[in-house]
Amino acid sequence: VRDATRAAAEAAGVELPGAALWAGLAGAGHEGARRAVQALLDDGSLAEAGVVGMDVEAAFRDAFPEGPGVLLIAGTGSIAWIRDEDGRMGRVGGWGRDLGDEGSGFWLGREGLRAVLRAADRREAPTGLTAALTEATGVAHPDDLVPWMERAGKRDVALRKRPIGGGHC
């Protein structure tokens, strides 16, 4: 955060510390992460006053500066952010990979991996995802997906350089 802020200020010809800085960051909805970044901002090297918020808040305010609106983010994670006609704010989702993120890239990837393992157990019919996902993850057999998943990061599960299965999963 500090390096990115300094680089942006330099590119814009802005001298630091500035008067104020608002940082909209993924993960800032979790109190521990927000506090850690807030402590960085509180040292005064970037701005006289700093506030940390969620990335979805920044995107929402950019898309809907005034009035009601609904913003849906479905990338590596997922969340919906809303402001109604009376100015009340609300959210749905954004609970992270373990407890939510339905419809996100991570969730879709994990559900695909689960389908492959259910097929390997013969709890479900064979699926074309087996060959596509074992190839995409670089494993030889569905059994190898468990240790792969334990090492994989959220982006590994959510993003591929090319569509899995030629885009026809």
Side-chain angles (χ1 to χ4, degrees):
V1 170
R2 185 176 281 138
D3 292 345
T5 303
R6 286 185 176 139
E10 184 178 324
V14 173
E15 194 171 317
L16 295 178
L21 172 65
W22 190 87
L25 306 169
H30 302 286
E31 189 59 26
R34 191 200 61 73
R35 276 197 317 263
V37 177
Q38 187 66 55
L40 180 144
L41 295 183
D42 288 346
D43 77 2
S45 67
L46 300 176
E48 294 173 26
V51 177
V52 179
M54 294 170 49
D55 56 347
V56 68
E57 293 175 87
F60 184 89
R61 292 185 192 286
D62 183 53
F64 303 101
E66 297 178 9
V70 176
L71 179 71
L72 173 64
I73 296 176
T76 307
S78 67
I79 189 168
W81 202 260
I82 184 171
R83 182 173 51 222
D84 70 13
E85 294 83 8
D86 296 324
R88 292 180 301 220
M89 303 294 289
R91 73 181 264 180
V92 174
W95 303 119
R97 76 183 205 173
D98 295 327
L99 299 175
D101 281 350
E102 294 87 345
S104 70
F106 176 85
W107 183 85
L108 292 169
R110 185 186 59 207
E111 291 303 305
L113 295 167
R114 286 178 171 168
V116 167
L117 295 177
R118 287 190 302 268
D121 285 345
R122 297 188 178 140
R123 290 183 286 149
E124 290 185 5
T127 173
L129 290 173
T130 300
L133 289 176
T134 54
E135 178 187 340
T137 57
V139 303
H141 189 271
D143 292 350
D144 301 323
L145 291 170
V146 173
W148 179 87
M149 184 70 169
E150 289 172 353
R151 293 186 312 273
K154 187 174 181 177
R155 292 185 63 130
D156 297 325
V157 177
L159 305 174
R160 303 289 359 138
K161 291 183 179 154
R162 60 184 168 70
I164 294 171
H168 302 290
C169 296

